[in-house]
Amino acid sequence: MNETVDQGPLRTPPGRLFRKYLYSIVALAFAALAINTGFDVWFSYREQKQLLAATQREQAASAAIQIGQFVGQIENQIRWLSRLPPELSTNEDERLNAIRLLRLSPAIAEIAEIDPRGRERVRVSRRVADKVGSNVDLSASPAFRGANESRAYYGPVYFLGDTEPYMTLATRGIGRHPDVIVADVNLRFIWDLVAGIRVGNTGKAYVVDRMGVLIAHPDPWRALQRSDLSGHADVRAALDGVGPAAGGLVKEDLTGQRVLSTYATVPSLGWLVFVELPLTEAYAPIYASIGRSTFLLVVLLVGAVLVSLFLSRRMTGPIQLLTQGARRIGSGDLGLRLAIRTGDELEALGDQFNRMAAHLRDSYATLERKVIERTSELEKARDHALAEHDAAERARNAAVQANETKSRFLAVVSHELRTPLNGLMGVLQLLDDGNLSEAQRRHLATAAASGETLIALVDAVLEYARLEGSTETLEPRNFRLDQLIDAAAELMRPQAFGKGLTFDLACDASVQASVHGDPVRLNRILLNLIGNAIKFTPSGGIAVNAVAERHDDHILLSIIVRDTGIGIAPDMHERIFEDFVQADDSIARRFGGTGLGLAIAR
């Protein structure tokens, strides 16, 4: 890549864009490598662990098979003594056969033959003198009873003289009334077998009987102690028939060392052969694999950093040239030409940049002329705008004066109309002397109602004129908020009852407060809102709710007036607060009013 400019070098040290590309590429490469390495390590860990557990299970199963074969071989040997029916052999023959069996099988320490009634006929032993025809009653012994019940009896393991393990094995002969052969078997062979099992370099195997008692261990002293392991979770689960976990079980052995353990069951005996390997040795291949993967990750990451440096420089170099070129063009150097030779989109961008600079140079030649022309046009437009502004200001002043005149006119007319109307109302009251007929009284009531309506209209126009003329000023003073609301409600309640409406007032406890404000204007707003509700409600009722929210130095009063009247269309919710506007053109004809009540309240 060859990158130059025709007006001096423009290179700058790598900046944020270079670091951005560098960090992004490195992060992407690291994430990809880390995820790949993580998955590889995880699956390798699982495979290695399962492989180790499978190997240990095979060792445990092999030891269990050998123990089972050892016991099965002795069982077959003592069955040989019971081949001949009892009526075809003598005690002496049975004694000679037992002696031959002791010579053939060193593991058998003592053997006895018991007749079908449980009487001992012959006993040959390596430890004591032989007995022939002792007729000792052994019918209640577990060995005799167990052999008769299941043809074979495997007794618990016991230690003779606390030195070697023994087990009682009994079988039943053949025939209609078979004898029972009972043998005491030395289990030292199992110790030798367990001691000979090689589990890695430091692993070990041991055997537990069906009661959970340790009977064979590479360390004979632990077996002689008859340690009860039934309280261990894995031993308890194995005794309950739960199979070993596929990946083995991590636990602490008898010395407190963490090991990977599995087990196999000895057929027919119910014994358990446990095989354990310390975790440090078991996971050594896994740690080595993790180390190799980590080293490979570091090597690949270093390669990714180098590649990222190369790519970042290749990408940011032309961009830096474009940045510097734009800066020089911005300072007025329109003769700048960039020469970027990358053979990709960056080179095309550099060519576009050069064409842009040429267009800017051509445009700059006519820019001053256009600026002068535009300045002249703006000056003319400014003069015209100033003239229009003066005319608008004069029109505004005229409108203000007209509005003030209108307000004064409304105030004067309203005031002048109120005086004769008050006189008219007085005359109407004087006419009602009690001697009028029913028809005359109706006419007089109609005239009084019309007069009151006219006075209300004149008062509304006069009040609006005061507000519009800004002559209405607030007169704040101290007053009880709840008393003002109750007084307004009591004043309007007779009107509601007169129309057959219900009137409900609900004031929150927060309204019971002394406040400082303008009670006259607040009362006017309440009367206006309640009056509108009564006016536009032909049936049903009105409900007034008042709630006050206390703030630092003021109270926010919320008064809600609900009625069951004609309602207000949604599109009129905002307009009804304008001057002389009502929700419907027919309202003035049906209910009366000028449309100023809500405008005054606002």
Side-chain angles (χ1 to χ4, degrees):
M1 178 179 66
N2 184 17
E3 303 166 350
T4 58
V5 294
D6 58 357
Q7 293 194 12
L10 296 175
R11 289 187 178 277
T12 59
R16 288 180 295 177
L17 183 62
F18 173 79
R19 292 193 297 271
K20 176 181 177 182
Y21 279 121
L22 177 62
Y23 297 159
S24 299
I25 297 175
V26 170
L28 181 62
F30 177 76
L33 293 174
I35 292 173
N36 179 71
T37 303
F39 276 110
D40 183 43
V41 168
W42 169 249
F43 286 112
S44 175
Y45 166 77
R46 294 188 60 184
E47 291 172 359
Q48 289 283 352
K49 185 177 179 182
Q50 292 178 356
L51 181 61
L52 286 171
T55 302
Q56 291 183 221
R57 281 198 305 272
E58 291 178 0
Q59 290 178 314
S62 175
I65 291 173
Q66 292 183 53
I67 293 174
Q69 290 175 348
F70 166 73
V71 175
Q73 181 180 4
I74 294 178
E75 182 179 347
N76 291 331
Q77 289 173 348
I78 63 176
R79 285 184 186 277
W80 172 77
L81 290 179
S82 60
R83 284 184 179 179
L84 294 177
E87 61 271 13
L88 299 180
S89 62
T90 63
N91 290 344
E92 189 61 29
D93 293 334
E94 293 171 351
R95 176 174 175 273
L96 293 176
N97 290 335
I99 293 174
R100 293 190 186 97
L101 182 57
L102 291 180
R103 291 178 180 177
L104 292 174
S105 181
I108 300 178
E110 185 175 279
I111 190 168
E113 185 173 354
I114 305 173
D115 64 14
R117 296 176 302 167
R119 304 291 180 175
E120 182 181 88
R121 299 171 60 183
V122 175
R123 178 178 295 273
V124 178
S125 176
R126 298 180 188 273
R127 302 188 295 263
V128 297
D130 298 343
K131 296 179 181 180
V132 178
S134 63
N135 289 325
V136 177
D137 186 5
L138 300 177
S139 60
S141 64
F144 180 79
R145 297 176 63 183
N148 282 317
E149 291 174 358
S150 59
R151 292 186 57 85
Y153 168 78
Y154 305 99
V157 178
Y158 65 94
F159 288 83
L160 184 63
D162 293 333
T163 57
E164 292 182 341
Y166 284 86
M167 179 185 71
T168 300
L169 178 62
T171 61
R172 186 178 63 181
I174 59 176
R176 298 180 60 183
H177 300 288
D179 291 344
V180 174
I181 308 300
V182 180
D184 289 342
V185 182
N186 191 330
L187 301 180
R188 187 59 183 254
F189 166 79
I190 299 177
W191 282 14
D192 298 338
L193 175 64
V194 169
I197 296 177
R198 289 291 177 264
V199 184
N201 296 324
T202 59
K204 59 183 175 297
Y206 58 89
V207 181
V208 177
D209 67 6
R210 57 177 175 267
M211 301 301 294
V213 178
L214 182 65
I215 60 175
H217 193 276
D219 184 3
W221 176 247
R222 294 192 177 275
L224 293 175
Q225 287 180 322
R226 298 184 58 81
S227 302
D228 185 3
L229 305 182
S230 60
H232 294 200
D234 56 334
V235 177
R236 185 71 270 163
L239 293 175
D240 292 339
V242 180
L249 175 67
V250 177
K251 66 168 191 175
E252 292 186 357
D253 63 2
L254 299 178
T255 62
Q257 185 181 18
R258 293 180 61 80
V259 296
L260 181 64
S261 173
T262 188
Y263 62 88
T265 304
V266 178
S268 69
L269 295 178
W271 295 353
L272 302 173
V273 179
F274 283 85
V275 175
E276 297 177 347
L277 183 64
L279 283 183
T280 54
E281 181 179 349
Y283 289 169
I286 300 176
Y287 296 149
S289 176
I290 294 175
R292 291 191 298 269
S293 299
T294 304
F295 175 75
L296 180 61
L297 174 63
V298 172
V299 172
L300 293 177
L301 184 60
V302 171
V305 171
L306 296 178
V307 173
S308 302
L309 285 171
F310 173 74
L311 293 177
S312 300
R313 290 186 182 278
R314 183 178 177 86
M315 295 174 67
T316 57
I319 296 175
Q320 291 175 352
L321 289 176
L322 291 171
T323 302
Q324 295 296 324
R327 185 178 301 165
R328 291 181 58 174
I329 288 178
S331 63
D333 187 2
L334 299 180
L336 177 67
R337 291 294 180 270
L338 299 179
I340 300 177
R341 299 293 181 266
T342 59
D344 52 18
E345 288 80 359
L346 292 174
E347 182 177 346
L349 181 61
D351 294 339
Q352 291 291 338
F353 189 89
N354 292 332
R355 284 193 288 271
M356 178 192 69
H359 286 304
L360 287 175
R361 184 181 57 189
D362 295 339
S363 300
Y364 186 75
T366 59
L367 181 61
E368 291 185 358
R369 179 177 56 81
K370 291 182 178 181
V371 169
I372 294 173
E373 294 176 355
R374 184 58 179 165
T375 302
S376 177
E377 293 175 358
L378 290 176
E379 289 177 351
K380 294 178 180 180
R382 182 199 61 188
D383 296 339
H384 181 69
L386 289 175
E388 290 182 348
H389 176 73
D390 293 339
E393 185 67 23
R394 289 193 296 272
R396 188 187 71 81
N397 294 332
V400 171
Q401 292 177 359
N403 187 54
E404 292 177 353
T405 302
K406 180 198 71 173
S407 298
R408 288 194 297 273
F409 172 76
L410 288 176
V412 171
V413 170
S414 299
H415 185 270
E416 294 301 325
L417 287 176
R418 185 179 178 87
T419 301
L421 285 175
N422 287 331
L424 177 62
M425 292 300 297
V427 172
L428 291 176
Q429 292 176 1
L430 293 175
L431 289 177
D432 188 8
D433 57 357
N435 298 322
L436 299 177
S437 64
E438 185 63 27
Q440 291 174 336
R441 189 174 290 107
R442 285 199 303 270
H443 295 328
L444 183 61
T446 301
S450 299
E452 291 176 355
T453 302
L454 286 174
I455 291 176
L457 292 175
V458 170
D459 288 342
V461 172
L462 180 60
E463 186 172 6
Y464 178 75
R466 290 175 179 174
L467 291 173
E468 193 176 40
S470 300
T471 60
E472 189 87 349
T473 58
L474 295 178
E475 299 178 2
R477 59 178 179 268
N478 296 330
F479 65 95
R480 288 282 299 185
L481 190 58
D482 52 340
Q483 294 177 0
L484 184 143
I485 297 174
D486 289 339
E490 290 299 325
L491 182 62
M492 303 304 294
R493 184 176 279 110
Q495 296 184 24
F497 290 164
K499 292 185 66 175
L501 305 176
T502 61
F503 190 97
D504 297 326
L505 174 63
C507 291
D508 189 74
S510 58
V511 179
Q512 300 176 4
S514 295
V515 297
H516 184 76
D518 191 334
V520 176
R521 270 66 177 184
L522 179 58
N523 184 65
R524 190 178 300 168
I525 293 172
L526 284 174
L527 295 178
N528 201 327
L529 296 178
I530 298 174
N532 277 357
I534 296 174
K535 181 189 298 182
F536 299 116
T537 303
S539 63
I542 292 94
V544 179
N545 296 324
V547 178
E549 295 182 8
R550 294 184 176 273
H551 294 273
D552 294 338
D553 57 350
H554 64 280
I555 291 179
L556 178 63
L557 176 64
S558 174
I559 298 179
I560 300 174
V561 180
R562 293 185 177 90
D563 61 66
T564 59
I566 61 176
I568 303 173
D571 57 342
M572 295 297 295
H573 285 178
E574 297 295 334
R575 292 194 57 203
I576 58 174
F577 289 94
E578 298 177 2
D579 304 338
F580 304 104
V581 173
Q582 291 187 336
D584 193 344
D585 293 338
S586 64
I587 288 179
R589 297 192 299 271
R590 293 165 55 197
F591 300 99
T594 61
L596 290 176
L598 294 181
I600 294 173
R602 182 193 62 186

